[in-house]
Each structure stands twice: as structure tokens, then as C-alpha cells.
Amino acid sequence: MAKAVLLLLLPLLLVLLPPPFGCVAQLAKEFCVADLASTDTPAGYPCKLQAAVTADDFYYRGLGTTGPIIQPFKISLSSAFVTNFPGVNGFGISAARVDLAVGGVVPLHWHPAATELIFVLEGTLSCGFISATSNRVYTNTLYKGDLMVLPQGQQHFQYNIGNTTAAALSTYSSHNPVVQTLDFALFANNLPTEVVSKVTLLDDLQVKKLKAIFGGTG
């Protein structure tokens, strides 16, 4: 008798319990297209009214061409994050494309909110990340068709080691992975030069040079 009651109650429990047990409850709403006029939250943007959702919310062609050039790194970057692709809101997925000229480099950066899976479309890349706990570096040479996973929150980089332009597609385990780049964090701010010099052990002239490159003040 007790087993029969449990079987009858199981569907209700799956709906009421929190994830991962309550996954049935998540299926009650098929999607939640981002209302970009509202504010993002850890759970995503609020949903656009169903009547206002169109097929275009689930379609994005921004990765079909190279994005704007980022100097001085000799790369072009285009992204398909929730902020320009509202259909991915709440799905824990997004993407980006990077094109690297010969000698181009994606500098040390990290994604606080996502693991990255990088797939090489063209060319040859050196790709690696630095363990946050041991400072051990894990690097690989990636060729066309190769994949590498970059764990969430770990500083990582790529650079073109070939003689032709390289391109890669990255996917992320978040609709908005957030990107923090070390060079911009250090040299695009208004911290006084002497403070940056103290915390980086760089001399003042080098700090001023880098602030000039990245638009920092102080």
C-alpha cells in the first residue's frame, strides 16, 4: 500500500522539489525570451511577454562574419550572449567567435560565470589555462577541428601560431558568461600609477605606457 501511494505522489514531488529533482517543473515553461529592457539577474532576465515573442528572438546571424577588431591584440570578436541573442536566456548556453590575425592573441582573461568549450574553425592555435589552485599551466596546440575545454573561472588564453588567420568558435555554459580581461582590469582603470606599480611590481614608466594603450588614467 505504501509503495502504491509513493508511486502516485512521485509526479507531484518532482514538480514541487527544487532542481535537479524538480526538473519537470522547469518544463512547464518552454522558454523565457529575455526582456532586455529589464535588469539581468543570477537567474537570467525576466521573460518577455509571450505575445511579444517572435521567431527572430531565437535566431542570430552575428557569428557569420568577423566582429570588431580589438587592438592591440590583432583579433576580432563577435558574441552571441543574451544581451544580443535574447532567445538563449535561462538556457545556460551562449557562443562567441574569435578571428586572430597572424600573431594575434586573446590575452589572459576568465569567465566568472561559465566554462568554455573552444572549437577551432581554421588555422592553428596555442590554447591554455592556469589552475587557480596550483598555478599549473595546461596548454595544447589546437588544429582545425580540435576542441579544448576551459574550466569556469580559470585564467586562459589563445594565440595564433600559424602563418594564416585563425578562427575559433566558443560555447559557454551560461547565457551571459561575463568576460574579465587582465590587461583591461589592470591598465584601463583610474588607479594611480604608483598603486598599480606596487601591486604588479612594474616600474612607473611601464605602467604609464600600458595605461596609455588601454585608456587608463591616474
Side-chain angles (χ1 to χ4, degrees):
M1 179 66 179
K3 181 181 292 187
V5 172
L6 181 59
L7 289 173
L8 288 172
L9 290 177
L10 185 58
L12 178 61
L13 290 172
L14 287 174
V15 172
L16 295 178
L17 287 172
F21 305 102
C23 56
V24 173
Q26 296 177 358
L27 298 179
K29 192 168 186 64
E30 297 172 306
F31 50 79
C32 176
V33 173
D35 178 4
L36 297 180
S38 300
T39 303
D40 196 10
T41 73
Y45 281 88
C47 304
K48 182 190 285 190
L49 292 176
Q50 192 84 1
V53 173
T54 71
D56 286 343
D57 290 316
F58 304 99
Y59 169 79
Y60 186 69
R61 63 185 309 170
L63 304 189
T65 57
T66 58
I69 297 174
I70 301 175
Q71 297 292 4
F73 301 115
K74 300 172 66 177
I75 62 172
S76 298
L77 184 66
S78 50
S79 63
F81 300 161
V82 68
T83 47
N84 50 17
F85 189 13
V88 302
N89 187 50
F91 285 151
I93 192 170
S94 57
R97 168 181 169 167
V98 61
D99 294 85
L100 303 90
V102 175
V105 57
V106 179
L108 275 173
H109 67 286
W110 61 99
H111 306 288
T115 292
E116 176 179 350
L117 186 66
I118 185 169
F119 174 75
V120 178
L121 301 170
E122 297 290 347
T124 309
L125 297 176
S126 179
C127 180
F129 70 90
I130 304 171
S131 167
T133 56
S134 67
N135 289 323
R136 181 176 175 181
V137 182
Y138 299 87
T139 60
N140 280 290
T141 298
L142 305 184
Y143 302 93
K144 181 178 179 179
D146 287 350
L147 283 167
M148 185 168 179
V149 65
L150 303 165
Q152 180 174 339
Q154 310 299 296
Q155 294 190 55
H156 55 276
F157 60 87
Q158 298 96 39
Y159 58 91
N160 187 347
I161 57 176
N163 297 317
T164 60
T165 297
L169 175 71
S170 291
T171 57
Y172 305 90
S173 61
S174 168
H175 65 253
N176 190 13
V178 184
V179 181
Q180 294 181 299
T181 303
L182 186 62
D183 291 304
F184 290 113
L186 286 173
F187 308 114
N189 57 53
N190 61 354
L191 274 176
T193 293
E194 58 268 25
V195 175
V196 179
S197 181
K198 286 181 183 296
V199 299
T200 61
L201 302 182
L202 296 171
D203 62 65
D204 285 2
L205 289 177
Q206 186 66 30
V207 171
K208 290 177 179 177
K209 175 184 176 182
L210 291 168
K211 276 181 171 286
I213 292 174
F214 294 103
T217 59

